[in-house]
Amino acid sequence: MAIIEAKNLCKTYVVDKRQNNVLKNINLKVSKGEMVAIMGPSGSGKSTLLYSISGMDRPTSGEVIFDSKDLTKLTEAELTDVRLDKMGFIFQQMFMMKNLTILDNIMLPAVESKKSNASRAEKQARAEELMRKLDIIEVADNDINEVSGGQLQRACIARSMMNSPEIIFADEPTGALNRQSSIEVMDELCKLNNEGTTIMMITHDSKVAARCSRVLYIVDGQIEGEYKTPKDLVNEKDRERALNNWLMDLGW
């Protein structure tokens, strides 16, 4: 069952009177519970696709069906509510409010949500529960400049989960981290996925992509290949080797 679907998705920018067709009739479905990686050369349209399908940017044409609604037809206010209440977002640049503690930053989506009837104490309990799950409860009262990059990205994951989203969109979630922190963050994302959360992420790292159930390869705004990770490959190195062979065949 598709949780989100793009139909004939196009995105065109006009720069100096020249048209730049960044996405060209993209069609894709993401099933509930999938963990999908988007890969491709720099400038291929990966971020534009993620932003267009998540409602963060409006496509030039086409449809995005989510929760039985076409996101391209919603008003900005309606889109904001959908993103806040039913989607989670994680970025390479870990945007957080500098004047808030880590705990308050994590609580923010629940505080802003019109859907939630929970008290502040209940919202705080939810945030603390997520922080314990991600092993960062000890930095709850810290400022954002008083934690490591790995801790901050795990805080971003906790924040993305505050309103129990149906899907998480991640743009290079491990791109700014060292290898150990990257592994730890991916471990947490895989746990969330195993618990039923759908995840769609951009990555340039084949180690990260090999842990996903499916990989989409984009070149010049079009999906040039689709890879499904073989279920019998349980060894991490075998999964990565198989994916790298496929990527090399596509010119990676």
Side-chain angles (χ1 to χ4, degrees), residues 111-127:
V111 172
E112 294 291 322
S113 175
K114 299 171 188 172
K115 179 183 76 172
S116 175
N117 294 318
S119 67
R120 183 173 179 83
E122 289 170 329
K123 292 171 183 176
Q124 181 169 328
R126 163 75 173 160

Side-chain angles (χ1 to χ4, degrees), residues 1-32:
M1 177 182 171
I3 189 170
I4 196 162
E5 180 177 3
K7 299 179 180 180
N8 298 315
L9 204 63
C10 297
K11 181 67 178 181
T12 300
Y13 294 102
V14 178
V15 181
D16 295 332
K17 298 182 180 179
R18 290 186 179 181
Q19 281 196 352
N20 182 12
N21 300 314
V22 183
L23 298 180
K24 304 168 186 174
N25 294 307
I26 293 276
N27 290 280
L28 68 86
K29 291 182 182 180
V30 176
S31 297
K32 189 171 184 179

Side-chain angles (χ1 to χ4, degrees), residues 4 6 26-31 34-41 44-46 49-50 53 199-204 209 212-219 222-229 243 246-247 250 252:
I4 196 162
I26 293 276
N27 290 280
L28 68 86
K29 291 182 182 180
V30 176
S31 297
E34 265 197 301
M35 189 168 182
V36 179
I38 304 170
M39 301 187 77
S44 58
K46 301 185 297 295
L49 173 60
L50 193 81
I53 203 171
I199 299 174
M200 189 173 185
M201 72 165 70
I202 294 170
T203 184
H204 67 277
C212 296
S213 53
R214 186 159 57 113
V215 180
L216 302 175
Y217 191 76
I218 296 182
V219 179
Q222 295 179 303
I223 297 174
E224 293 292 331
E226 180 177 326
Y227 175 86
K228 291 188 178 180
T229 304
L243 175 59
W246 179 78
L247 289 170
L250 287 170
W252 174 250

